[in-house]
Amino acid sequence: MKAPSLGDNTGDIDRLVKMLNKLLPDMTITPEFSLIKRTPAILREQGYDVEALLYEQANTLRLFEFLPRTRENLLRGLAVDLGSSTLVVRLLNLETEEVEEEASFLNPQTEIGADILSRIHYAGQPGGLVKLRRLVVDGLNREIHRIAANRNIKPESILGMAIAGNTTMTHLFLGIDPHWLCREPYIPAANRFPLFKASEIGVAIHPDGPVLVFPDVGSYFGGDLIAGIIASGMAEREELSLLVDVGTNAEIVLGNKDWLMGCAGAAGPALEGGVASMGVMAGPGVIDKVTIDGSSGHVQARTIGNTAPVGICGSGLIDLAAQLYLAGMIDVRGKFVAERCGKRLREIDGTRHFVVVPSEASATGLELTLAQTDMDALLRSKAAMYTILTTVTNLVNVSMKDIKNFFIAGTFGSYIDPRSAITLGMVPDLPIETYKPLGNTSLAGATEVLLSRKARLKMDEIRDRITYIELNVNQDFMNLFSAAKFIPHTDKSLFPSVQLIK
Amino acid sequence: MKAPSLGDNTGDIDRLVKMLNKLLPDMTITPEFSLIKRTPAILREQGYDVEALLYEQANTLRLFEFLPRTRENLLRGLAVDLGSSTLVVRLLNLETEEVEEEASFLNPQTEIGADILSRIHYAGQPGGLVKLRRLVVDGLNREIHRIAANRNIKPESILGMAIAGNTTMTHLFLGIDPHWLCREPYIPAANRFPLFKASEIGVAIHPDGPVLVFPDVGSYFGGDLIAGIIASGMAEREELSLLVDVGTNAEIVLGNKDWLMGCAGAAGPALEGGVASMGVMAGPGVIDKVTIDGSSGHVQARTIGNTAPVGICGSGLIDLAAQLYLAGMIDVRGKFVAERCGKRLREIDGTRHFVVVPSEASATGLELTLAQTDMDALLRSKAAMYTILTTVTNLVNVSMKDIKNFFIAGTFGSYIDPRSAITLGMVPDLPIETYKPLGNTSLAGATEVLLSRKARLKMDEIRDRITYIELNVNQDFMNLFSAAKFIPHTDKSLFPSVQLIK
C-alpha cells in the first residue's frame, strides 16, 4: 500500500480493505474488531507492506490477521476427528500440506459414559451438558497446547480448524442440548453450522480463526460420515460405491457421482453392542487374527506385538467365528458343535464356553474363552449388518453385485479380514479386491476440507444432495434379519465362495 | 413451521432457516451460535410457531432472537450521541418509533481531560486507553441499566443500538488507539466499522444485538457529522445547504443532492478554545441573552431560569459582543472604548475588564466581567469561523449568498442568536430565516439510522460521496483570517445589514 499523506488520508483499515478489494473485486471484506485495533501499529511497523489473512464466511471475506514480515511456513491448521471414544488431532502446514504432528487421546467424556446414549442422558441432568462440553473442549485444548509446545509455536499461531464428529459428539462439543437426538422423531438442534470463530466455541487456537464444524445429516448420520464420503471420493465416481462405518453405528452410504443415499438408524446400536462389547480395544497382546486347522482343530492366534494374549478384539473375533465355522466347530446357527470342539468346550455358569487360549498360554494366567452368548451376539450383529446392506440396496433397486467399491471406514474396520466377514455372511460375497479399508476417514475428510476450498464446497454439496433414510426395524427388516442370522445365510446361493472344509 | 416427523426430520435450525429462506429468498441466513442452542426448546415450547428476529450484516441476515409468543411493543433500540462532553441516550420503540426515554450524562472521560487532545495524550500512557474505554462504556451501561429499570424491562430486551460520535470519541469508545488522529497526516485506524455484536464491544443490551457505529470521514470529521447530514436532509435537497457544528471543531458540510463537501481541520481547535473556554455550560443562572441600550449603555442580561447570574455561556457571549459593538462600546477591532464604557470598564492585573454584572446583582457576590483578552479570543474565533466559511465556498466556487439553508448543529448552536452572529461577522449576512438551528443532530441522525434501513443505506451513501478537505492554515487562510478579525469585516459591503446605532 501507499503510505498515507495529507493528500491521501484514508483510514488505516479503509486503506487496507480498499487495496484488498482491488485484488479481490466484488467481495465484501469485513475486518475483525481485534484486527482493527492492531492495524495502525502493524502498518507503520511494516511500512504499509503486509500480508493479510482472510477467510470466507457466507458471502464475506473476514480479514483476521497479518503475517510477520519474515516468515517460513507459518500457516498452520488443525484437523480433528471428534470420536466418541477417541479424538485424533492432526497439525497441518496449510501451504505445503505436510502433517507436522498427529496425536490421539481418549475422549475425556468416557469418564461419564462409554456410550453415546448414557452421555445424552447425563447431559439432561443439572450441569451435565456444561460438564460434557468442558471435558471434551478442555481435553482438546490440552492437546493443542501440547503439540504447539512440541513444535515450539504458540497455540494462537494455529489459524484454523476443521472438526468432524457424529451428530451427538458435535452437539456436545458445541454445548448444544442433545436431548432430542435420541427421541422420536430424532431431530438435531442443527445439522448445518455457521463457520465459528475459535474464541466463540472456546478452542485455544487463534481466537479469530475460523472453525469449521462438519454438517450432520441426521441424528444417526453425522459429519464424520460426510468426511468419510469426501475421503473415499465416492461422490465423484462413475461406478457404484458403498461406504460403511463399522464400529460405531451401522452408518452406510451408497451412491456415485449422480446420487448418494445415506442410511442409519435404530438397528445400529444392536450391531455395535454385539461386535464391540466383547472385543477389547486393539493394543499389545490383543488377538487380532485367528486361524484354525480344520483337521486337528488347533487354534492359532496372532497378537498385536506378538506378546502373550490378553484378549481379543473385534477383527480377531470375526476371524475366530469364521474359522470355527469353516472347521465345523460351530454350526450354521453359530452353536458350538461338541464333537468337533472336544476339550476346548466347557460349561461355566450354565453357559457353554470355547477356550480360545488356555490359561498356561495367556498373559493373565486365566483362560481366554468365548461364551455361546457372545457368539450369539456376534451373529445378531453380522445379521444386522447384512440386513441393513440388503435393505439399502433394495431401496434403490441395485444388486449387491453392482457395488464396485466397498469402503470400510474407521480404524476398527481396517483390521477386519474381508474373507472372514464374507465367510460369516456379514458382508456380501464380492471379489476380495472390492473391499477397501480406508482407516480414519473422519480425520482424512477433515484434513481435505481444512486444506482445500474445493473440498469445502464439495462438503456442502454432498450434504445437500444426500438422501437420508432412517432405517426402522419393521416386519420386513425382521424377516431379512432372521434369514441373515445363519452362517453365511439361509440362502447359500448368495455366498458361493463360502465352502466348508471337509 | 410444520413440526418435525419421522418422514421430515430436518434439524430444528435448518427447518427454521429453510422457512425463513422461503420468506426471504436469495438471502444468506446465518444463525447466531447462542440462538442455535436455545432453538430446540423454544420451537417445542411455541409449537413451531415463532417470530424470529434478524438483522442485516454485509450480505448476510443474522438470526439472533425469537420473540415470546404474546408480546406488546417489545422491539426496542437505543440511539446514542457519543459526545466528548455529554452523552445522550434515547430509548426507542422500533415499531411505533416513539421515544420511550431520553437521558443525558456527563462523559465520564472528562475526569481525565475536558478536551479531546488531553484524552488522546492520556490514551498513550500505560493502561490509559483501557481506562478511557472503560469509563465511557461503563457510564453508558449504567445509563442503560437505569433507563431499563425505569421502563421495568431487562437491558437485554434492547435489541440494537446506533451510536454517533466524533472520530476520537469513536476510537476511544471502541478501545482503538487514537494516537495517529492528532499527528500528521492525521490518519484514523478505521473510518468504516463492521456492524458489531453488543457483546463484542461490551455494551449491556442484547448480547447478540447489532451495534451500528457511525462511520467517520477523517480525524476531524466524525460520525456525528454524518448523523448531522442525515438529520438535516441536506443530502437530498436541490438547493445549496451548509451545515456547521459550532462548539466542537469547526466542522462544515456544504452541498446538495448532487455533491457534498466536508471541511474540518487544524483551524477548528482555535475556534473551540475561543468560544468555549470562556462560556460556562448552559444551566440555571447562566446568561444566555444580552441586550444593551445604545443611549444609556444599560446592560440587560437574561439568565436561564431567570435566577441571579452565575456566568455567561457562548450564546450570551456572542450577544454581549454584538451588543457592545452596536452600542459603540467596542470598536471594529473589538477593543473596549473607554468613553462609551464608562464606569463599567476597569483594569485588573494590567488587563481591561468590562463589568457585565456588578457584584451586588450576581449570584456569587462577585463581579462577572469580560476581559479584553477574552474579547480578543472571541474575535479570533469568529474570524476563524468566517474564514473557514469563505474558504469552503471559494473552494467550490459558490457565493455565500447561494446558501439557502444554514443549518446549525449542536445544542450550543441552538442558543446562538443569528442576528448577533451576523453583527459580529461570524456568519454571513444572509436572511435570518436561512439560519436553522437543529439541536442535537448527532442523536437525531442516530435515531433515523436505528429506525430505518433506508437511512442506513443513506448513511453509507453519504459517507462514500462526501469529499473531505482538510483545512490547512496556509498564507491564503491567514490573509482571509486577518481581514475577518474586524467587526463585522474589513469589507463592510459584505454585511449591509449591520449598522451601528448612532
Side-chain angles (χ1 to χ4, degrees):
Chain A
M1 285 175 280
K2 270 178 66 181
S5 64
L6 277 173
D8 173 16
N9 56 2
T10 311
D12 286 322
I13 269 285
D14 310 78
R15 177 176 304 269
L16 178 62
V17 169
K18 208 165 144 185
M19 176 55 81
L20 288 167
N21 259 326
K22 276 192 195 161
L23 305 170
L24 303 158
D26 309 320
M27 298 295 287
T28 302
I29 295 171
T30 305
E32 287 293 337
F33 185 32
S34 72
L35 186 87
I36 294 175
K37 295 187 200 177
R38 290 179 285 134
T39 296
I42 290 170
L43 290 186
R44 283 167 185 78
E45 229 171 77
Q46 305 201 13
Y48 293 83
D49 179 12
V50 292
E51 282 185 281
L53 290 170
L54 301 97
Y55 68 87
E56 196 177 11
Q57 183 191 49
N59 306 320
T60 304
L61 289 180
R62 301 196 74 102
L63 169 60
F64 76 108
E65 192 48 284
F66 295 107
L67 286 182
R69 201 204 286 264
T70 54
R71 64 180 186 93
E72 230 172 278
N73 296 339
L74 276 172
L75 304 186
R76 290 188 177 89
L78 203 71
V80 180
D81 165 28
L82 183 66
S84 36
S85 51
T86 306
L87 274 83
V88 191
V89 298
R90 178 183 278 174
L91 183 69
L92 287 140
N93 182 313
L94 299 176
E95 291 171 293
T96 64
E97 308 200 347
E98 274 169 276
V99 176
E100 295 200 339
E101 291 272 337
E102 189 168 317
S104 68
F105 60 100
L106 191 73
N107 186 332
Q109 291 178 341
T110 49
E111 81 175 45
I112 303 293
D115 65 303
I116 281 295
L117 272 174
S118 65
R119 293 183 211 170
I120 293 179
H121 175 72
Y122 186 85
Q125 297 175 1
L129 177 59
V130 172
K131 179 161 182 192
L132 284 164
R133 191 185 91 83
R134 275 263 62 90
L135 279 171
V136 67
V137 172
D138 288 352
L140 179 60
N141 287 343
R142 265 194 307 275
E143 203 59 25
I144 290 171
H145 275 98
R146 205 187 54 74
I147 65 173
N150 266 8
R151 303 298 298 184
N152 202 21
I153 58 170
K154 286 182 187 160
E156 303 80 46
S157 72
I158 303 169
L159 298 169
M161 189 169 122
I163 186 161
N166 67 41
T167 308
T168 303
M169 274 313 303
T170 302
H171 275 60
L172 294 176
F173 175 71
L174 295 171
I176 302 172
D177 189 357
H179 180 87
W180 302 103
L181 292 180
C182 63
R183 286 164 174 93
E184 219 182 286
Y186 314 110
I187 306 300
N191 279 322
R192 290 180 188 80
F193 301 95
L195 196 58
F196 295 111
K197 282 206 281 190
S199 60
E200 203 172 10
I201 58 172
V203 171
I205 62 167
H206 191 296
D208 287 331
V211 176
L212 181 147
V213 176
F214 267 74
D216 303 311
V217 174
S219 287
Y220 291 106
F221 197 110
D224 50 348
L225 257 279
I226 306 273
I229 297 170
I230 291 173
S232 75
M234 66 184 287
E236 289 103 69
R237 288 174 187 254
E238 284 279 350
E239 77 272 18
L240 188 64
S241 300
L242 188 136
L243 172 72
V244 58
D245 193 345
V246 191
T248 59
N249 280 341
E251 294 154 346
I252 283 172
V253 187
L254 185 66
N256 57 25
K257 68 174 186 49
D258 298 318
W259 58 272
L260 286 170
M261 198 183 61
C263 264
L271 179 65
E272 179 174 19
V275 180
S277 70
M278 308 197 36
V280 299
M281 308 271 280
V286 171
I287 298 169
D288 68 339
K289 181 124 203 79
V290 177
T291 42
I292 297 178
D293 183 85
S295 49
S296 68
H298 177 71
V299 178
Q300 193 173 346
R302 187 185 75 183
T303 61
I304 296 170
N306 284 318
T307 61
V310 295
I312 187 162
C313 72
S315 63
L317 196 59
I318 288 168
D319 263 3
L320 174 61
Q323 291 289 309
L324 285 171
Y325 173 70
L326 292 176
M329 293 158 91
I330 53 172
D331 64 15
V332 293
R333 295 167 306 135
K335 300 300 173 196
F336 292 118
V337 178
E339 56 269 38
R340 297 287 297 165
C341 294
K343 286 190 297 182
R344 289 202 174 245
L345 206 61
R346 66 186 54 195
E347 197 158 310
I348 306 169
D349 296 336
T351 306
R352 285 171 159 205
H353 282 243
F354 180 85
V355 179
V356 185
V357 179
S359 54
E360 64 272 19
S362 91
T364 56
L366 299 169
E367 284 179 336
L368 293 182
T369 66
L370 180 73
Q372 184 64 60
T373 46
D374 294 336
M375 184 58 83
D376 295 348
L378 175 63
L379 284 204
R380 281 198 304 278
S381 291
K382 83 97 187 168
M385 171 62 95
Y386 193 77
T387 305
I388 291 167
L389 293 172
T390 308
T391 307
V392 169
T393 47
N394 285 353
L395 266 171
V396 286
N397 208 24
V398 299
S399 158
M400 295 234 205
K401 300 219 180 314
D402 298 333
I403 297 168
K404 299 304 173 210
N405 306 288
F406 193 112
F407 294 116
I408 303 164
T411 313
F412 166 61
S414 302
Y415 295 102
I416 295 177
D417 183 340
R419 189 63 248 158
S420 295
I422 291 170
T423 300
L424 286 183
M426 189 174 193
V427 296
D429 195 358
L430 301 173
I432 288 297
E433 63 274 17
T434 311
Y435 289 92
K436 289 162 185 160
L438 296 179
N440 190 338
T441 52
S442 182
L443 186 65
T447 302
E448 281 199 42
V449 154
L450 185 73
L451 294 175
S452 136
R453 183 174 186 270
K454 212 174 130 198
R456 286 191 291 279
L457 296 175
K458 197 161 70 183
M459 177 190 82
D460 288 330
E461 181 252 320
I462 287 169
R463 166 63 190 79
D464 288 341
R465 80 177 165 97
I466 209 163
T467 307
Y468 175 53
I469 309 282
E470 193 116 348
L471 277 185
N472 294 309
V473 182
N474 54 23
Q475 195 51 53
D476 280 352
F477 188 94
M478 287 316 294
N479 292 344
L480 288 168
F481 182 68
S482 299
K485 268 164 75 179
F486 291 80
I487 303 176
H489 198 272
T490 12
D491 181 359
K492 287 203 170 181
S493 73
L494 292 171
F495 290 85
S497 81
V498 181
Q499 298 297 333
L500 285 188
I501 303 156
K502 294 282 168 181
Chain B
M1 285 175 280
K2 270 177 66 181
S5 64
L6 277 173
D8 173 17
N9 55 3
T10 312
D12 287 323
I13 269 287
D14 310 78
R15 179 177 302 270
L16 178 62
V17 168
K18 208 165 145 186
M19 176 55 80
L20 287 168
N21 259 325
K22 276 191 195 163
L23 305 170
L24 302 159
D26 310 320
M27 298 295 288
T28 301
I29 295 172
T30 304
E32 287 292 337
F33 185 33
S34 73
L35 186 86
I36 294 174
K37 295 186 198 175
R38 290 179 286 135
T39 296
I42 290 170
L43 289 187
R44 282 167 185 77
E45 230 170 75
Q46 304 201 13
Y48 292 85
D49 179 11
V50 292
E51 283 186 280
L53 290 170
L54 302 97
Y55 68 87
E56 198 177 8
Q57 183 191 48
N59 305 321
T60 304
L61 289 179
R62 300 196 77 102
L63 168 61
F64 78 109
E65 191 50 283
F66 295 107
L67 286 182
R69 201 205 285 265
T70 54
R71 64 180 186 94
E72 231 173 279
N73 296 339
L74 276 171
L75 303 185
R76 290 188 177 90
L78 203 70
V80 180
D81 165 29
L82 184 67
S84 36
S85 52
T86 307
L87 275 83
V88 190
V89 299
R90 178 184 278 174
L91 184 69
L92 287 140
N93 182 314
L94 299 176
E95 291 171 293
T96 64
E97 308 201 348
E98 275 169 274
V99 175
E100 295 199 340
E101 291 271 338
E102 190 168 318
S104 68
F105 60 100
L106 190 74
N107 186 331
Q109 291 177 342
T110 49
E111 81 175 44
I112 304 293
D115 65 303
I116 281 297
L117 273 174
S118 65
R119 293 183 211 170
I120 294 179
H121 176 73
Y122 186 86
Q125 297 176 359
L129 178 58
V130 171
K131 179 161 182 192
L132 284 165
R133 192 187 88 84
R134 275 262 62 90
L135 280 171
V136 67
V137 171
D138 289 351
L140 179 59
N141 286 343
R142 266 195 307 276
E143 203 60 24
I144 290 171
H145 275 97
R146 206 187 55 74
I147 65 173
N150 267 7
R151 303 298 298 182
N152 201 21
I153 59 171
K154 286 182 186 159
E156 303 81 43
S157 72
I158 302 170
L159 298 169
M161 189 169 123
I163 186 161
N166 67 41
T167 307
T168 303
M169 274 312 305
T170 302
H171 276 59
L172 294 177
F173 174 72
L174 294 171
I176 301 171
D177 189 356
H179 180 87
W180 302 102
L181 292 180
C182 64
R183 286 164 174 91
E184 217 183 286
Y186 314 109
I187 307 299
N191 279 321
R192 290 179 187 81
F193 302 94
L195 196 57
F196 295 110
K197 282 206 279 191
S199 59
E200 203 172 10
I201 57 171
V203 171
I205 61 166
H206 191 297
D208 287 332
V211 176
L212 181 148
V213 177
F214 267 74
D216 303 311
V217 175
S219 287
Y220 292 105
F221 197 109
D224 50 349
L225 256 279
I226 306 275
I229 296 169
I230 290 173
S232 75
M234 66 184 286
E236 291 103 67
R237 289 174 186 254
E238 284 281 349
E239 78 272 17
L240 188 65
S241 301
L242 188 137
L243 172 72
V244 59
D245 193 345
V246 191
T248 58
N249 280 341
E251 294 153 346
I252 282 172
V253 187
L254 186 65
N256 56 27
K257 67 176 185 50
D258 298 318
W259 57 274
L260 286 171
M261 197 185 62
C263 263
L271 179 64
E272 177 174 21
V275 181
S277 69
M278 310 197 34
V280 299
M281 308 271 280
V286 171
I287 297 169
D288 68 338
K289 182 124 202 78
V290 177
T291 43
I292 297 178
D293 184 85
S295 49
S296 69
H298 178 72
V299 178
Q300 193 173 347
R302 187 184 75 182
T303 62
I304 295 170
N306 284 316
T307 61
V310 294
I312 187 162
C313 72
S315 63
L317 195 59
I318 289 167
D319 263 4
L320 173 62
Q323 291 289 309
L324 285 171
Y325 173 69
L326 291 177
M329 294 159 90
I330 54 173
D331 63 16
V332 292
R333 296 168 306 135
K335 300 300 173 197
F336 293 118
V337 178
E339 54 271 36
R340 296 287 297 164
C341 294
K343 286 191 297 183
R344 288 201 174 248
L345 206 62
R346 67 187 52 197
E347 197 156 312
I348 305 170
D349 295 336
T351 307
R352 284 170 161 208
H353 281 243
F354 180 83
V355 180
V356 184
V357 179
S359 56
E360 63 272 20
S362 91
T364 56
L366 299 170
E367 282 179 339
L368 294 181
T369 66
L370 180 73
Q372 184 64 60
T373 47
D374 295 335
M375 184 59 82
D376 295 348
L378 176 63
L379 284 204
R380 279 198 305 277
S381 292
K382 83 96 188 169
M385 171 63 92
Y386 192 78
T387 305
I388 292 167
L389 292 172
T390 307
T391 306
V392 169
T393 47
N394 285 353
L395 266 171
V396 286
N397 208 24
V398 299
S399 160
M400 294 233 205
K401 300 220 181 312
D402 298 331
I403 297 168
K404 298 305 173 206
N405 305 289
F406 194 112
F407 294 116
I408 302 163
T411 314
F412 166 60
S414 302
Y415 296 102
I416 295 176
D417 184 341
R419 190 61 251 160
S420 295
I422 291 169
T423 300
L424 287 183
M426 190 174 194
V427 296
D429 196 357
L430 300 173
I432 288 296
E433 62 274 18
T434 311
Y435 290 93
K436 288 160 187 162
L438 296 179
N440 191 336
T441 52
S442 182
L443 186 65
T447 302
E448 281 199 43
V449 154
L450 185 72
L451 294 174
S452 137
R453 182 173 187 272
K454 213 175 128 196
R456 285 191 291 279
L457 296 175
K458 197 162 71 183
M459 177 189 83
D460 288 330
E461 181 251 321
I462 287 169
R463 167 62 190 81
D464 288 342
R465 80 176 164 98
I466 209 162
T467 307
Y468 174 53
I469 310 282
E470 194 116 348
L471 278 184
N472 294 308
V473 182
N474 54 22
Q475 195 52 50
D476 280 352
F477 187 93
M478 289 315 294
N479 292 344
L480 287 168
F481 182 67
S482 298
K485 267 165 76 179
F486 291 80
I487 305 177
H489 197 272
T490 11
D491 181 357
K492 287 203 172 182
S493 72
L494 292 171
F495 291 84
S497 80
V498 181
Q499 297 297 333
L500 284 188
I501 302 155
K502 293 283 165 181

